[in-house]
Amino acid sequence: MALTDGDKAAVVNLWSKISGQTEAIGNEALQRLFTGFPQTKTYFKHYDLSPNSAQVRAHGARVLGAVGEATKYLDNLSEGLSKLSDLHAYNLRVDPENFKLLSHCFLVVLAVHFPAEFTPQVQAAWDKYLVAISTVLTSKYR
Ligand code: HEM
Protein backbone atom coordinates (compact mmCIF):
# COMPACT_ATOMS: atom_id res chain seq x y z
CA MET A 1 0.00 0.00 0.00
CA ALA A 2 1.43 3.39 -0.99
CA LEU A 3 2.42 5.85 1.68
CA THR A 4 0.15 8.88 1.89
CA ASP A 5 1.54 12.35 2.49
CA GLY A 6 0.48 11.95 6.13
CA ASP A 7 2.36 8.64 6.38
CA LYS A 8 5.49 10.21 4.91
CA ALA A 9 5.32 13.07 7.41
CA ALA A 10 4.91 10.58 10.28
CA VAL A 11 7.91 8.57 9.08
CA VAL A 12 10.16 11.61 8.77
CA ASN A 13 8.97 13.04 12.07
CA LEU A 14 9.67 9.93 14.14
CA TRP A 15 12.94 9.34 12.31
CA SER A 16 14.18 12.70 13.61
CA LYS A 17 13.90 11.20 17.12
CA ILE A 18 15.33 7.80 16.24
CA SER A 19 18.32 9.23 14.41
CA GLY A 20 20.19 10.18 17.58
CA GLN A 21 20.15 6.59 18.84
CA THR A 22 20.50 4.34 15.83
CA GLU A 23 22.91 1.91 17.48
CA ALA A 24 20.75 1.34 20.58
CA ILE A 25 17.52 0.99 18.60
CA GLY A 26 19.07 -1.18 15.90
CA ASN A 27 20.78 -3.38 18.44
CA GLU A 28 17.57 -3.90 20.39
CA ALA A 29 15.65 -4.80 17.23
CA LEU A 30 18.28 -7.40 16.33
CA GLN A 31 18.39 -8.78 19.89
CA ARG A 32 14.62 -9.22 19.80
CA LEU A 33 14.87 -10.81 16.35
CA PHE A 34 17.48 -13.35 17.43
CA THR A 35 15.67 -14.12 20.70
CA GLY A 36 12.12 -14.28 19.40
CA PHE A 37 12.94 -15.94 16.09
CA PRO A 38 16.17 -17.91 16.60
CA GLN A 39 16.08 -19.29 13.05
CA THR A 40 17.18 -15.81 11.89
CA LYS A 41 20.55 -16.37 13.57
CA THR A 42 21.53 -18.72 10.74
CA TYR A 43 22.36 -15.69 8.56
CA PHE A 44 24.79 -14.43 11.18
CA LYS A 45 26.88 -17.52 11.88
CA HIS A 46 30.01 -15.44 11.40
CA TYR A 47 28.96 -13.02 14.16
CA ASP A 48 29.48 -13.06 17.90
CA LEU A 49 25.80 -13.27 18.93
CA SER A 50 26.24 -12.89 22.68
CA PRO A 51 23.93 -10.29 24.32
CA ASN A 52 26.49 -7.47 24.37
CA SER A 53 28.08 -8.24 21.04
CA ALA A 54 29.87 -5.26 19.49
CA GLN A 55 29.28 -6.83 16.07
CA VAL A 56 25.52 -6.90 16.56
CA ARG A 57 25.52 -3.32 17.85
CA ALA A 58 27.48 -2.17 14.82
CA HIS A 59 25.17 -4.08 12.49
CA GLY A 60 22.12 -2.60 14.20
CA ALA A 61 23.52 0.86 13.53
CA ARG A 62 24.13 -0.02 9.87
CA VAL A 63 20.61 -1.37 9.35
CA LEU A 64 19.07 1.65 11.05
CA GLY A 65 21.34 3.93 9.05
CA ALA A 66 19.85 2.44 5.88
CA VAL A 67 16.31 2.86 7.22
CA GLY A 68 17.12 6.51 7.93
CA GLU A 69 18.81 7.11 4.58
CA ALA A 70 15.70 5.73 2.88
CA THR A 71 13.57 8.50 4.41
CA LYS A 72 15.23 10.73 1.80
CA TYR A 73 13.80 8.55 -0.98
CA LEU A 74 10.20 8.12 0.10
CA ASP A 75 9.00 8.72 -3.47
CA ASN A 76 11.60 6.45 -5.03
CA LEU A 77 12.67 3.75 -2.61
CA SER A 78 13.76 1.30 -5.29
CA GLU A 79 16.38 3.75 -6.50
CA GLY A 80 17.48 4.75 -3.02
CA LEU A 81 17.86 1.13 -1.90
CA SER A 82 19.13 -0.35 -5.14
CA LYS A 83 22.57 -1.41 -3.90
CA LEU A 84 21.16 -2.89 -0.72
CA SER A 85 18.57 -4.73 -2.77
CA ASP A 86 21.33 -6.31 -4.89
CA LEU A 87 23.19 -7.35 -1.74
CA HIS A 88 20.20 -9.03 -0.06
CA ALA A 89 18.98 -10.75 -3.22
CA TYR A 90 22.16 -11.81 -4.99
CA ASN A 91 24.66 -12.25 -2.17
CA LEU A 92 22.82 -12.85 1.08
CA ARG A 93 19.66 -14.53 -0.28
CA VAL A 94 17.75 -13.84 2.91
CA ASP A 95 14.35 -15.59 2.91
CA PRO A 96 11.77 -12.77 2.47
CA GLU A 97 9.79 -14.04 5.46
CA ASN A 98 12.57 -12.76 7.71
CA PHE A 99 11.90 -9.18 6.68
CA LYS A 100 8.47 -9.42 8.28
CA LEU A 101 10.05 -10.68 11.48
CA LEU A 102 12.63 -7.89 11.59
CA SER A 103 9.99 -5.25 10.81
CA HIS A 104 7.82 -6.60 13.63
CA CYS A 105 10.72 -6.37 16.08
CA PHE A 106 11.55 -2.91 14.90
CA LEU A 107 7.95 -1.72 15.51
CA VAL A 108 8.05 -3.19 19.01
CA VAL A 109 11.25 -1.27 19.76
CA LEU A 110 9.71 1.97 18.50
CA ALA A 111 6.65 1.40 20.69
CA VAL A 112 8.85 0.81 23.74
CA HIS A 113 11.15 3.78 23.17
CA PHE A 114 8.62 6.31 21.88
CA PRO A 115 5.34 5.49 23.66
CA ALA A 116 3.95 9.02 23.38
CA GLU A 117 4.74 9.37 19.68
CA PHE A 118 3.73 5.84 18.69
CA THR A 119 0.05 6.48 18.00
CA PRO A 120 -1.98 4.04 15.87
CA GLN A 121 -1.45 6.38 12.90
CA VAL A 122 2.31 6.47 13.41
CA GLN A 123 2.39 2.70 13.80
CA ALA A 124 0.44 2.29 10.55
CA ALA A 125 2.77 4.69 8.72
CA TRP A 126 5.92 2.93 9.95
CA ASP A 127 4.43 -0.45 9.17
CA LYS A 128 3.79 0.65 5.58
CA TYR A 129 7.27 2.16 5.37
CA LEU A 130 8.97 -1.05 6.55
CA VAL A 131 6.84 -3.13 4.17
CA ALA A 132 7.90 -0.79 1.34
CA ILE A 133 11.59 -1.16 2.25
CA SER A 134 11.25 -4.94 2.57
CA THR A 135 9.47 -5.14 -0.78
CA VAL A 136 12.40 -3.39 -2.46
CA LEU A 137 15.03 -5.48 -0.68
CA THR A 138 13.29 -8.72 -1.73
CA SER A 139 12.38 -7.63 -5.27
CA LYS A 140 15.35 -9.00 -7.17
CA TYR A 141 15.31 -12.66 -6.19
CA ARG A 142 15.33 -15.08 -9.08
C1 HEM B 1 23.75 -6.59 5.67
C2 HEM B 1 20.12 -3.37 5.90
C3 HEM B 1 16.97 -7.01 6.53
C4 HEM B 1 20.64 -10.11 6.91
C5 HEM B 1 23.03 -5.41 5.68
C6 HEM B 1 23.61 -4.08 5.61
C7 HEM B 1 22.61 -3.18 5.69
C8 HEM B 1 21.38 -3.94 5.81
C9 HEM B 1 22.72 -1.65 5.65
C10 HEM B 1 25.12 -3.76 5.47
C11 HEM B 1 25.44 -3.61 4.00
C12 HEM B 1 26.90 -3.37 3.74
O1 HEM B 1 27.74 -3.71 4.57
O2 HEM B 1 27.18 -2.80 2.67
C13 HEM B 1 18.94 -4.09 6.04
C14 HEM B 1 17.63 -3.50 6.11
C15 HEM B 1 16.74 -4.52 6.28
C16 HEM B 1 17.51 -5.75 6.33
C17 HEM B 1 17.34 -2.00 6.00
C18 HEM B 1 15.24 -4.49 6.43
C19 HEM B 1 14.57 -3.47 6.91
C20 HEM B 1 17.70 -8.16 6.75
C21 HEM B 1 17.15 -9.41 7.22
C22 HEM B 1 18.18 -10.28 7.34
C23 HEM B 1 19.39 -9.58 6.94
C24 HEM B 1 15.66 -9.66 7.49
C25 HEM B 1 18.17 -11.72 7.83
C26 HEM B 1 17.49 -12.12 8.89
C27 HEM B 1 21.79 -9.42 6.58
C28 HEM B 1 23.12 -10.02 6.60
C29 HEM B 1 24.02 -9.01 6.25
C30 HEM B 1 23.21 -7.80 6.01
C31 HEM B 1 23.45 -11.48 6.93
C32 HEM B 1 25.55 -9.12 6.13
C33 HEM B 1 26.12 -8.89 7.53
C34 HEM B 1 27.62 -9.00 7.60
O3 HEM B 1 28.18 -9.93 7.00
O4 HEM B 1 28.24 -8.18 8.30
N1 HEM B 1 21.67 -5.29 5.82
N2 HEM B 1 18.83 -5.46 6.17
N3 HEM B 1 19.05 -8.29 6.58
N4 HEM B 1 21.88 -8.11 6.21
FE1 HEM B 1 20.36 -6.82 6.06
Side-chain angles (χ1 to χ4, degrees):
M1 212 193 304
L3 277 79
T4 64
D5 288 346
D7 293 331
K8 291 176 192 170
V11 166
V12 169
N13 187 40
L14 187 54
W15 174 255
S16 70
K17 307 207 163 149
I18 301 168
S19 59
Q21 33 183 318
T22 51
E23 189 179 284
I25 302 262
N27 180 55
E28 190 176 326
L30 289 174
Q31 296 296 350
R32 287 180 185 271
L33 180 73
F34 297 147
T35 304
F37 311 102
Q39 71 273 24
T40 57
K41 292 194 284 188
T42 54
Y43 296 98
F44 296 90
K45 284 205 175 93
H46 54 305
Y47 270 35
D48 161 23
L49 293 179
S50 61
N52 278 323
S53 164
Q55 274 180 313
V56 174
R57 295 193 74 81
H59 189 61
R62 276 197 297 273
V63 173
L64 258 280
V67 170
E69 184 65 19
T71 62
K72 298 177 192 162
Y73 300 94
L74 289 177
D75 292 317
N76 197 357
L77 280 176
S78 41
E79 191 183 306
L81 292 169
S82 177
K83 269 174 67 181
L84 215 49
S85 175
D86 288 348
L87 177 76
H88 284 80
Y90 303 140
N91 297 62
L92 300 170
R93 306 197 70 80
V94 173
D95 185 322
E97 199 57 33
N98 293 305
F99 285 81
K100 294 182 189 159
L101 303 177
L102 177 59
S103 298
H104 167 75
C105 291
F106 187 47
L107 289 178
V108 170
V109 178
L110 294 184
V112 169
H113 284 260
F114 304 100
E117 291 83 357
F118 201 71
T119 61
Q121 287 73 19
V122 170
Q123 177 180 349
W126 270 85
D127 188 30
K128 278 195 209 173
Y129 178 50
L130 294 173
V131 167
I133 290 177
S134 301
T135 301
V136 173
L137 293 193
T138 55
S139 64
K140 294 186 184 166
Y141 288 67
R142 58 193 164 140

Coordinates of all heavy atoms in Angstrom, one line a residue, residues 2-82:
A2 N 0.6 2.2 -0.9 CA 1.4 3.4 -1.0 C 1.3 4.3 0.2 O 0.3 4.4 0.9 CB 1.0 4.2 -2.2
L3 N 2.4 4.9 0.6 CA 2.4 5.9 1.7 C 1.7 7.1 1.3 O 2.0 7.7 0.2 CB 3.9 6.2 2.1 CG 4.5 5.2 3.1 CD1 5.0 3.9 2.3 CD2 5.7 5.8 3.8
T4 N 0.8 7.6 2.1 CA 0.1 8.9 1.9 C 1.1 10.0 2.3 O 2.1 9.7 3.0 CB -1.2 9.0 2.7 OG1 -0.8 9.0 4.1 CG2 -2.1 7.8 2.4
D5 N 0.7 11.2 2.0 CA 1.5 12.3 2.5 C 1.6 12.4 4.0 O 2.7 12.7 4.6 CB 1.0 13.7 2.0 CG 1.2 13.8 0.5 OD1 2.0 13.1 -0.1 OD2 0.6 14.7 -0.1
G6 N 0.5 12.0 4.7 CA 0.5 11.9 6.1 C 1.4 10.9 6.7 O 2.1 11.1 7.7
D7 N 1.4 9.7 6.0 CA 2.4 8.6 6.4 C 3.8 9.1 6.3 O 4.6 8.9 7.1 CB 2.2 7.4 5.5 CG 0.9 6.7 5.6 OD1 0.3 6.8 6.7 OD2 0.4 6.1 4.6
K8 N 4.1 9.8 5.1 CA 5.5 10.2 4.9 C 5.9 11.2 6.0 O 7.0 11.1 6.5 CB 5.6 10.9 3.5 CG 5.5 9.9 2.4 CD 5.5 10.6 1.0 CE 5.0 9.6 -0.1 NZ 4.8 10.3 -1.3
A9 N 5.0 12.1 6.4 CA 5.3 13.1 7.4 C 5.6 12.4 8.7 O 6.5 12.7 9.5 CB 4.2 14.1 7.5
A10 N 4.8 11.3 9.0 CA 4.9 10.6 10.3 C 6.2 9.8 10.3 O 6.9 9.7 11.3 CB 3.7 9.6 10.4
V11 N 6.6 9.3 9.2 CA 7.9 8.6 9.1 C 9.1 9.5 9.3 O 10.0 9.3 10.2 CB 8.1 7.9 7.7 CG1 9.5 7.4 7.5 CG2 7.1 6.7 7.6
V12 N 9.1 10.7 8.6 CA 10.2 11.6 8.8 C 10.2 12.2 10.2 O 11.3 12.3 10.8 CB 10.0 12.7 7.7 CG1 11.0 13.9 8.0 CG2 10.2 12.2 6.3
N13 N 9.0 12.4 10.7 CA 9.0 13.0 12.1 C 9.6 12.1 13.1 O 10.4 12.5 14.0 CB 7.5 13.4 12.4 CG 7.4 14.1 13.7 OD1 8.2 15.0 13.9 ND2 6.4 13.8 14.5
L14 N 9.1 10.8 13.1 CA 9.7 9.9 14.1 C 11.2 9.6 13.9 O 11.9 9.5 14.8 CB 8.8 8.6 14.2 CG 9.2 7.7 15.4 CD1 9.2 8.4 16.7 CD2 8.3 6.5 15.4
W15 N 11.5 9.6 12.6 CA 12.9 9.3 12.3 C 13.8 10.4 13.0 O 14.9 10.1 13.4 CB 13.2 9.3 10.8 CG 14.7 9.2 10.6 CD1 15.6 10.1 10.1 CD2 15.5 8.0 10.9 NE1 16.8 9.6 10.2 CE2 16.8 8.4 10.6 CE3 15.2 6.7 11.4 CZ2 17.9 7.5 10.9 CZ3 16.3 5.9 11.6 CH2 17.6 6.2 11.3
S16 N 13.3 11.6 13.0 CA 14.2 12.7 13.6 C 14.5 12.4 15.1 O 15.5 12.8 15.6 CB 13.5 14.1 13.5 OG 12.4 14.1 14.3
K17 N 13.6 11.6 15.7 CA 13.9 11.2 17.1 C 14.8 9.9 17.2 O 15.6 9.8 18.1 CB 12.6 11.0 17.9 CG 11.7 12.2 17.7 CD 10.7 12.4 18.8 CE 10.2 13.8 18.7 NZ 8.9 14.0 19.1
I18 N 14.6 9.0 16.2 CA 15.3 7.8 16.2 C 16.8 8.1 15.9 O 17.7 7.4 16.4 CB 14.8 6.8 15.2 CG1 13.3 6.5 15.4 CG2 15.6 5.5 15.1 CD1 12.6 5.8 14.3
S19 N 17.0 9.1 15.0 CA 18.3 9.2 14.4 C 19.5 9.5 15.4 O 20.6 9.1 15.1 CB 18.3 10.4 13.4 OG 17.9 11.6 14.0
G20 N 19.1 10.0 16.6 CA 20.2 10.2 17.6 C 20.6 8.9 18.3 O 21.6 8.9 19.1
Q21 N 19.9 7.8 18.1 CA 20.2 6.6 18.8 C 20.0 5.3 18.0 O 19.4 4.3 18.3 CB 19.3 6.5 20.1 CG 17.9 7.0 19.9 CD 17.1 7.0 21.2 OE1 17.1 6.0 21.9 NE2 16.3 8.0 21.5
T22 N 20.6 5.4 16.8 CA 20.5 4.3 15.8 C 21.1 3.0 16.4 O 20.6 2.0 16.1 CB 21.1 4.7 14.5 OG1 22.5 5.1 14.7 CG2 20.3 5.7 13.7
E23 N 22.3 3.2 17.0 CA 22.9 1.9 17.5 C 22.1 1.2 18.5 O 21.8 0.0 18.4 CB 24.3 2.2 18.0 CG 25.1 0.9 18.3 CD 26.5 1.2 18.8 OE1 27.3 1.6 18.0 OE2 26.7 1.0 20.0
A24 N 21.6 2.0 19.5 CA 20.8 1.3 20.6 C 19.5 0.7 20.0 O 19.1 -0.4 20.3 CB 20.4 2.4 21.6
I25 N 18.8 1.5 19.1 CA 17.5 1.0 18.6 C 17.8 -0.2 17.7 O 17.0 -1.2 17.7 CB 16.8 2.1 17.8 CG1 16.6 3.3 18.7 CG2 15.5 1.7 17.2 CD1 15.3 3.5 19.4
G26 N 18.8 -0.1 16.8 CA 19.1 -1.2 15.9 C 19.5 -2.4 16.6 O 19.1 -3.5 16.3
N27 N 20.3 -2.2 17.6 CA 20.8 -3.4 18.4 C 19.6 -4.1 19.1 O 19.5 -5.3 19.1 CB 21.8 -2.9 19.5 CG 22.3 -4.0 20.4 OD1 22.8 -5.0 19.8 ND2 22.1 -3.9 21.7
E28 N 18.7 -3.3 19.7 CA 17.6 -3.9 20.4 C 16.7 -4.7 19.4 O 16.2 -5.7 19.7 CB 16.8 -2.8 21.2 CG 15.8 -3.5 22.1 CD 15.0 -2.5 22.9 OE1 15.6 -1.4 23.3 OE2 13.8 -2.7 23.2
A29 N 16.5 -4.1 18.2 CA 15.6 -4.8 17.2 C 16.3 -6.1 16.9 O 15.6 -7.2 16.8 CB 15.5 -3.9 16.0
L30 N 17.6 -6.1 16.7 CA 18.3 -7.4 16.3 C 18.3 -8.4 17.5 O 18.1 -9.6 17.3 CB 19.7 -7.1 15.9 CG 19.9 -6.4 14.5 CD1 21.3 -6.1 14.3 CD2 19.3 -7.3 13.4
Q31 N 18.4 -7.9 18.7 CA 18.4 -8.8 19.9 C 17.0 -9.4 20.0 O 16.9 -10.6 20.3 CB 18.7 -8.0 21.2 CG 20.1 -7.4 21.3 CD 21.2 -8.5 21.3 OE1 21.0 -9.7 21.4 NE2 22.5 -8.1 21.1
R32 N 16.0 -8.7 19.7 CA 14.6 -9.2 19.8 C 14.4 -10.2 18.7 O 13.7 -11.2 18.8 CB 13.6 -8.1 19.7 CG 13.5 -7.3 21.0 CD 12.4 -6.2 20.9 NE 12.4 -5.3 22.1 CZ 11.7 -5.6 23.1 NH1 10.9 -6.6 23.2 NH2 11.7 -4.7 24.2
L33 N 15.0 -9.9 17.5 CA 14.9 -10.8 16.3 C 15.5 -12.2 16.7 O 14.9 -13.2 16.5 CB 15.6 -10.2 15.1 CG 15.5 -11.0 13.8 CD1 14.1 -11.0 13.2 CD2 16.5 -10.4 12.8
F34 N 16.7 -12.1 17.2 CA 17.5 -13.3 17.4 C 16.9 -14.1 18.6 O 16.9 -15.4 18.6 CB 18.9 -13.0 17.7 CG 19.7 -12.4 16.6 CD1 20.7 -11.5 16.8 CD2 19.4 -12.7 15.3 CE1 21.4 -10.9 15.7 CE2 20.0 -12.1 14.2 CZ 21.1 -11.2 14.4
T35 N 16.3 -13.4 19.6 CA 15.7 -14.1 20.7 C 14.3 -14.7 20.4 O 14.0 -15.8 20.7 CB 15.5 -13.1 21.9 OG1 16.8 -12.6 22.2 CG2 15.0 -13.8 23.1
G36 N 13.5 -13.9 19.7 CA 12.1 -14.3 19.4 C 12.0 -15.3 18.2 O 11.1 -16.1 18.2
F37 N 13.0 -15.1 17.3 CA 12.9 -15.9 16.1 C 14.3 -16.5 15.8 O 15.1 -16.0 14.9 CB 12.5 -15.1 14.9 CG 11.2 -14.3 15.2 CD1 11.2 -13.0 15.5 CD2 10.0 -15.0 15.2 CE1 10.1 -12.3 15.9 CE2 8.8 -14.3 15.5 CZ 8.8 -12.9 15.9
P38 N 14.8 -17.5 16.6 CA 16.2 -17.9 16.6 C 16.6 -18.4 15.2 O 17.8 -18.4 15.0 CB 16.2 -19.0 17.6 CG 14.9 -19.0 18.4 CD 14.0 -18.2 17.7
Q39 N 15.7 -18.8 14.4 CA 16.1 -19.3 13.1 C 16.8 -18.2 12.3 O 17.6 -18.5 11.4 CB 14.9 -19.8 12.3 CG 13.8 -18.8 11.8 CD 12.8 -18.5 12.8 OE1 13.0 -18.7 14.0 NE2 11.6 -18.0 12.4
T40 N 16.5 -16.9 12.6 CA 17.2 -15.8 11.9 C 18.7 -15.7 12.2 O 19.4 -15.1 11.4 CB 16.5 -14.5 12.3 OG1 16.6 -14.3 13.7 CG2 15.1 -14.4 11.9
K41 N 19.1 -16.4 13.2 CA 20.6 -16.4 13.6 C 21.4 -17.1 12.5 O 22.6 -16.9 12.5 CB 20.8 -17.0 15.0 CG 20.2 -16.2 16.1 CD 20.7 -16.6 17.4 CE 20.1 -17.8 17.9 NZ 20.4 -18.1 19.3
T42 N 20.7 -17.9 11.7 CA 21.5 -18.7 10.7 C 22.2 -17.8 9.7 O 23.3 -18.2 9.2 CB 20.6 -19.7 10.0 OG1 19.6 -19.0 9.4 CG2 20.1 -20.8 10.9
Y43 N 21.7 -16.6 9.5 CA 22.4 -15.7 8.6 C 23.6 -15.0 9.2 O 24.3 -14.3 8.5 CB 21.4 -14.6 8.1 CG 20.2 -15.2 7.3 CD1 19.0 -15.5 7.9 CD2 20.4 -15.5 6.0 CE1 18.0 -16.0 7.2 CE2 19.3 -16.1 5.3 CZ 18.1 -16.4 5.9 OH 17.1 -16.9 5.2
F44 N 23.7 -15.2 10.5 CA 24.8 -14.4 11.2 C 25.7 -15.4 11.9 O 26.2 -15.1 13.0 CB 24.2 -13.4 12.2 CG 23.4 -12.3 11.5 CD1 22.0 -12.5 11.2 CD2 24.0 -11.2 11.0 CE1 21.3 -11.5 10.5 CE2 23.3 -10.2 10.3 CZ 21.9 -10.4 10.1
K45 N 26.0 -16.5 11.3 CA 26.9 -17.5 11.9 C 28.3 -17.0 12.1 O 29.0 -17.5 13.0 CB 27.0 -18.8 11.0 CG 25.7 -19.6 11.0 CD 26.1 -21.1 10.6 CE 24.9 -22.0 10.7 NZ 24.2 -22.1 9.5
H46 N 28.7 -16.0 11.3 CA 30.0 -15.4 11.4 C 30.1 -14.3 12.4 O 31.1 -13.7 12.6 CB 30.5 -14.9 10.0 CG 29.5 -14.0 9.4 ND1 28.1 -14.2 9.2 CD2 29.6 -12.7 9.0 CE1 27.5 -13.2 8.6 NE2 28.4 -12.3 8.5
Y47 N 29.0 -14.1 13.2 CA 29.0 -13.0 14.2 C 29.1 -13.6 15.6 O 28.7 -14.7 15.8 CB 27.6 -12.3 14.1 CG 27.5 -11.1 13.2 CD1 28.2 -11.1 12.0 CD2 26.8 -10.0 13.5 CE1 28.1 -10.0 11.1 CE2 26.6 -8.9 12.7 CZ 27.3 -8.9 11.5 OH 27.2 -7.8 10.6
D48 N 29.6 -12.8 16.5 CA 29.5 -13.1 17.9 C 28.0 -12.6 18.3 O 27.7 -11.5 18.1 CB 30.5 -12.2 18.7 CG 30.2 -12.1 20.1 OD1 29.4 -13.0 20.7 OD2 30.6 -11.1 20.8
L49 N 27.2 -13.6 18.7 CA 25.8 -13.3 18.9 C 25.5 -13.2 20.4 O 24.3 -13.3 20.8 CB 24.9 -14.3 18.2 CG 24.9 -14.2 16.7 CD1 24.0 -15.3 16.1 CD2 24.5 -12.8 16.2
S50 N 26.5 -13.0 21.2 CA 26.2 -12.9 22.7 C 25.5 -11.5 22.9 O 25.6 -10.6 22.1 CB 27.6 -13.0 23.5 OG 28.4 -11.9 23.1
P51 N 24.8 -11.4 24.1 CA 23.9 -10.3 24.3 C 24.6 -8.9 24.2 O 23.9 -8.0 23.7 CB 23.4 -10.5 25.8 CG 23.5 -12.0 26.0 CD 24.7 -12.5 25.2
N52 N 25.9 -8.8 24.5 CA 26.5 -7.5 24.4 C 27.4 -7.4 23.2 O 28.4 -6.6 23.2 CB 27.2 -7.1 25.7 CG 26.3 -6.5 26.7 OD1 25.3 -5.8 26.3 ND2 26.4 -6.9 27.9
S53 N 27.2 -8.2 22.2 CA 28.1 -8.2 21.0 C 28.3 -6.9 20.3 O 27.3 -6.2 19.9 CB 27.5 -9.2 20.0 OG 28.1 -9.1 18.8
A54 N 29.6 -6.5 20.2 CA 29.9 -5.3 19.5 C 29.5 -5.4 18.0 O 29.1 -4.4 17.4 CB 31.4 -4.9 19.6
Q55 N 29.6 -6.6 17.5 CA 29.3 -6.8 16.1 C 27.8 -6.6 15.8 O 27.4 -6.0 14.8 CB 29.6 -8.3 15.7 CG 31.1 -8.5 15.2 CD 31.3 -9.9 14.8 OE1 30.9 -10.8 15.6 NE2 31.9 -10.1 13.7
V56 N 27.0 -7.1 16.7 CA 25.5 -6.9 16.6 C 25.2 -5.4 16.7 O 24.4 -4.9 16.0 CB 24.7 -7.8 17.5 CG1 23.2 -7.5 17.5 CG2 25.0 -9.3 17.3
R57 N 25.8 -4.8 17.7 CA 25.5 -3.3 17.9 C 25.9 -2.6 16.6 O 25.1 -1.7 16.1 CB 26.4 -2.7 19.0 CG 26.0 -3.3 20.4 CD 26.7 -2.4 21.5 NE 26.0 -1.2 21.6 CZ 24.9 -1.1 22.3 NH1 24.3 -2.1 22.9 NH2 24.3 0.1 22.4
A58 N 27.0 -2.9 16.0 CA 27.5 -2.2 14.8 C 26.5 -2.5 13.7 O 26.2 -1.6 12.9 CB 28.9 -2.6 14.5
H59 N 26.1 -3.7 13.6 CA 25.2 -4.1 12.5 C 23.8 -3.4 12.7 O 23.2 -2.9 11.7 CB 25.0 -5.6 12.4 CG 24.2 -6.0 11.2 ND1 24.7 -5.7 9.9 CD2 23.0 -6.6 11.0 CE1 23.8 -6.1 9.0 NE2 22.8 -6.7 9.7
G60 N 23.4 -3.3 13.9 CA 22.1 -2.6 14.2 C 22.2 -1.2 13.7 O 21.3 -0.6 13.1
A61 N 23.3 -0.5 14.0 CA 23.5 0.9 13.5 C 23.5 1.0 12.0 O 22.9 1.9 11.4 CB 24.8 1.4 14.1
R62 N 24.1 0.0 11.3 CA 24.1 0.0 9.9 C 22.7 -0.2 9.3 O 22.3 0.5 8.4 CB 25.0 -1.2 9.3 CG 26.5 -0.8 9.3 CD 27.2 -1.8 8.4 NE 27.2 -3.2 8.9 CZ 28.0 -3.7 9.7 NH1 29.0 -2.9 10.2 NH2 27.9 -4.9 10.2
V63 N 22.0 -1.1 9.9 CA 20.6 -1.4 9.4 C 19.8 -0.1 9.6 O 19.1 0.3 8.7 CB 20.0 -2.6 10.1 CG1 18.5 -2.7 9.7 CG2 20.7 -3.9 9.7
L64 N 19.8 0.4 10.8 CA 19.1 1.6 11.0 C 19.5 2.8 10.2 O 18.7 3.6 9.8 CB 19.2 2.0 12.5 CG 18.0 1.7 13.4 CD1 16.9 2.7 13.3 CD2 17.4 0.3 13.1
G65 N 20.8 2.9 9.9 CA 21.3 3.9 9.0 C 20.7 3.9 7.7 O 20.3 4.9 7.1
A66 N 20.5 2.6 7.2 CA 19.9 2.4 5.9 C 18.4 2.8 5.9 O 17.8 3.5 5.0 CB 20.0 1.0 5.4
V67 N 17.7 2.5 7.1 CA 16.3 2.9 7.2 C 16.2 4.4 7.2 O 15.3 5.0 6.6 CB 15.7 2.2 8.5 CG1 14.4 2.8 8.9 CG2 15.7 0.7 8.4
G68 N 17.1 5.0 7.9 CA 17.1 6.5 7.9 C 17.4 7.1 6.6 O 16.7 8.1 6.1
E69 N 18.4 6.6 5.9 CA 18.8 7.1 4.6 C 17.6 7.0 3.6 O 17.4 7.9 2.8 CB 20.0 6.3 4.1 CG 20.6 6.7 2.7 CD 21.3 8.1 2.8 OE1 21.6 8.6 3.9 OE2 21.4 8.7 1.7
A70 N 16.8 5.9 3.8 CA 15.7 5.7 2.9 C 14.6 6.8 3.1 O 13.8 7.0 2.2 CB 15.1 4.3 3.1
T71 N 14.6 7.5 4.2 CA 13.6 8.5 4.4 C 13.8 9.6 3.4 O 12.9 10.5 3.2 CB 13.6 9.1 5.9 OG1 14.8 9.7 6.1 CG2 13.3 8.0 6.9
K72 N 15.0 9.7 2.8 CA 15.2 10.7 1.8 C 14.7 10.3 0.4 O 14.7 11.1 -0.5 CB 16.7 11.0 1.7 CG 17.4 11.5 2.9 CD 18.9 11.6 2.7 CE 19.6 11.8 4.0 NZ 21.1 11.5 3.9
Y73 N 14.2 9.1 0.3 CA 13.8 8.5 -1.0 C 12.4 8.0 -0.9 O 12.1 7.0 -1.5 CB 14.7 7.4 -1.4 CG 16.2 7.8 -1.6 CD1 17.1 7.7 -0.6 CD2 16.6 8.4 -2.8 CE1 18.4 8.1 -0.7 CE2 17.9 8.8 -3.0 CZ 18.8 8.6 -1.9 OH 20.1 9.0 -2.1
L74 N 11.5 8.7 -0.1 CA 10.2 8.1 0.1 C 9.4 8.0 -1.2 O 8.5 7.2 -1.3 CB 9.4 9.0 1.1 CG 10.0 8.8 2.6 CD1 9.2 9.8 3.5 CD2 9.9 7.4 3.0
D75 N 9.7 8.8 -2.2 CA 9.0 8.7 -3.5 C 9.7 7.8 -4.5 O 9.2 7.6 -5.6 CB 8.8 10.1 -4.1 CG 7.9 11.0 -3.2 OD1 6.9 10.4 -2.8 OD2 8.2 12.1 -3.0
N76 N 10.9 7.3 -4.1 CA 11.6 6.5 -5.0 C 12.5 5.5 -4.3 O 13.7 5.5 -4.4 CB 12.4 7.3 -6.0 CG 12.9 6.6 -7.2 OD1 12.6 5.4 -7.3 ND2 13.6 7.3 -8.1
L77 N 11.9 4.6 -3.5 CA 12.7 3.7 -2.6 C 13.5 2.8 -3.4 O 14.6 2.4 -3.0 CB 11.7 3.0 -1.7 CG 11.2 3.7 -0.4 CD1 10.3 2.9 0.3 CD2 12.4 4.1 0.5
S78 N 13.0 2.3 -4.6 CA 13.8 1.3 -5.3 C 15.1 1.9 -5.8 O 16.1 1.1 -5.8 CB 13.0 0.7 -6.4 OG 12.2 1.6 -7.1
E79 N 15.1 3.1 -6.1 CA 16.4 3.7 -6.5 C 17.3 3.9 -5.3 O 18.5 3.6 -5.3 CB 16.1 5.1 -7.2 CG 17.3 5.7 -7.9 CD 17.0 7.0 -8.5 OE1 16.1 7.1 -9.2 OE2 17.7 8.0 -8.1
G80 N 16.7 4.5 -4.2 CA 17.5 4.8 -3.0 C 18.1 3.5 -2.4 O 19.2 3.6 -1.8
L81 N 17.4 2.4 -2.6 CA 17.9 1.1 -1.9 C 18.4 0.1 -2.9 O 18.6 -1.1 -2.6 CB 16.7 0.5 -1.1 CG 16.2 1.3 0.1 CD1 14.9 0.7 0.6 CD2 17.2 1.3 1.2
S82 N 18.7 0.6 -4.1 CA 19.1 -0.4 -5.1 C 20.3 -1.2 -4.8 O 20.3 -2.5 -5.0 CB 19.4 0.5 -6.4 OG 19.9 -0.4 -7.4

